[in-house]
Amino acid sequence: LRFVSHDLRSPLTLISARAQMLERSAEDPDGVRRNAQAILRSIRQMNTMISDLADSVRLEFGGALAVRPRTLDLIALLSEVIERWKETPEGDRIEVRLPDSMPPVCADPDAFERVLANLMSNALKYSPDEEKITVSAAADEVEATVSVADRGPGIPPEDAGRLFERFFRSESARKHHDGLGLGLTISRALVEAQDGRIWVETELGHGSVFSFTLPLSPSNTRS
Ligand code: ADP
């Protein structure tokens, strides 16, 4: 509770500081825009935290997260999500490697975006500001795999097995970055609700690759 209330408060602290700056920057249109953008970013961050908390309670009590998978063009969906991320201040750090074509997958677009957003924001958050992250996708005959790779510090073996546990945060994550420790728990629940798998491959000092699968649309799977 101590960590959760601290992390819920930090966007609020920023919102109130920026609102005070906004009050003072009435005559400066650039200042107004910058402060308004910072406020909107913090509100989005807080919104995500509140949804994550609500979803984690739902999962804890044996509920399921609502997903409605349908046939989707993964390249179009990925490109659309990444296009939006490219417009954010960290957009330049995102590299994309997609094949020219992929068979359609069976996925829920909102759940997909939430999982990808979690993995990308972690990759950006836990790796140095000057390092790029790479989003890639591939497919075999039964499933598509989406991966997010970073050149961050990697994850110690004793932590790697616990990352998907509710509220788990490594010692160094706790020291250096805000977060509730729910993103990966919820991502796993969302991926599994779409009949996929999620995992991490990591090497200390070199970085981490988080991957998840989505089944191909039934009309495309060869039996
Ligand atoms: P949060 O980021 O809010 O702490 P997550 O559930 O998304 O919560 O991640 C849980 C923990 O997994 C993080 O606190 C961090 O210790 C570790 N982690 C996740 N992604 C990465 C990454 N790309 N590199 C290093 N550590 C990571």
Side-chain angles (χ1 to χ4, degrees):
L1 270 175
R2 190 156 46 87
F3 291 130
V4 169
S5 52
H6 167 267
D7 284 328
L8 277 175
R9 230 171 252 134
S10 66
L12 274 186
T13 311
L14 200 139
I15 288 171
S16 99
R18 290 293 186 154
Q20 283 168 13
M21 287 161 80
L22 197 57
E23 210 176 19
R24 289 196 294 267
S25 58
E27 302 297 317
D28 162 20
D30 250 13
V32 170
R33 191 162 33 82
R34 263 198 321 276
N35 288 316
Q37 281 168 346
I39 288 175
L40 288 171
R41 246 195 329 275
S42 294
I43 290 174
R44 274 197 294 274
Q45 197 186 337
M46 187 130 192
N47 218 355
T48 306
M49 286 199 261
I50 292 170
S51 310
D52 283 357
L53 271 173
D55 281 344
S56 91
V57 171
R58 197 164 296 138
L59 287 171
E60 180 70 5
F61 286 95
L65 303 184
V67 295
R68 282 188 213 89
R70 56 187 168 86
T71 299
L72 289 173
D73 175 347
L74 189 60
I75 293 185
L77 185 62
L78 260 167
S79 310
E80 193 190 305
V81 176
I82 287 170
E83 193 79 0
R84 251 178 282 134
W85 276 70
K86 286 269 188 198
E87 287 161 18
T88 66
E90 298 205 277
D92 288 348
R93 293 181 57 199
I94 305 171
E95 254 174 17
V96 185
R97 286 200 205 127
L98 299 179
D100 292 334
S101 71
M102 282 180 90
V105 294
C106 190
D108 175 315
D110 296 332
F112 172 82
E113 176 159 0
R114 203 158 155 207
V115 174
L116 186 63
N118 269 330
L119 300 186
M120 290 202 297
S121 62
N122 278 350
L124 292 166
K125 177 163 77 168
Y126 294 115
S127 61
D129 289 346
E130 65 283 3
E131 292 286 2
K132 300 228 184 246
I133 67 161
T134 308
V135 180
S136 59
D140 62 18
E141 293 182 349
V142 283
E143 61 191 10
T145 305
V146 178
S147 299
V148 179
D150 66 60
R151 297 166 191 126
I155 296 155
E158 65 275 19
D159 289 349
R162 305 190 55 200
L163 301 185
F164 295 89
E165 283 175 20
R166 200 161 87 114
F167 295 125
F168 178 82
R169 307 198 71 212
S170 70
E171 198 61 38
S172 90
R174 199 159 268 167
K175 243 186 246 155
H176 304 292
H177 306 277
D178 283 342
L180 293 179
L182 291 174
L184 289 178
T185 311
I186 289 163
S187 297
R188 182 171 65 181
L190 289 170
V191 167
E192 289 178 353
Q194 296 171 95
D195 290 331
R197 293 167 286 121
I198 185 167
W199 70 95
V200 61
E201 288 151 291
T202 178
E203 203 181 330
L204 265 186
H206 291 279
S208 310
V209 185
F210 283 82
S211 304
F212 64 98
T213 61
L214 292 167
L216 296 190
S217 178
S219 54
N220 275 278
T221 32
R222 288 179 222 156
S223 48

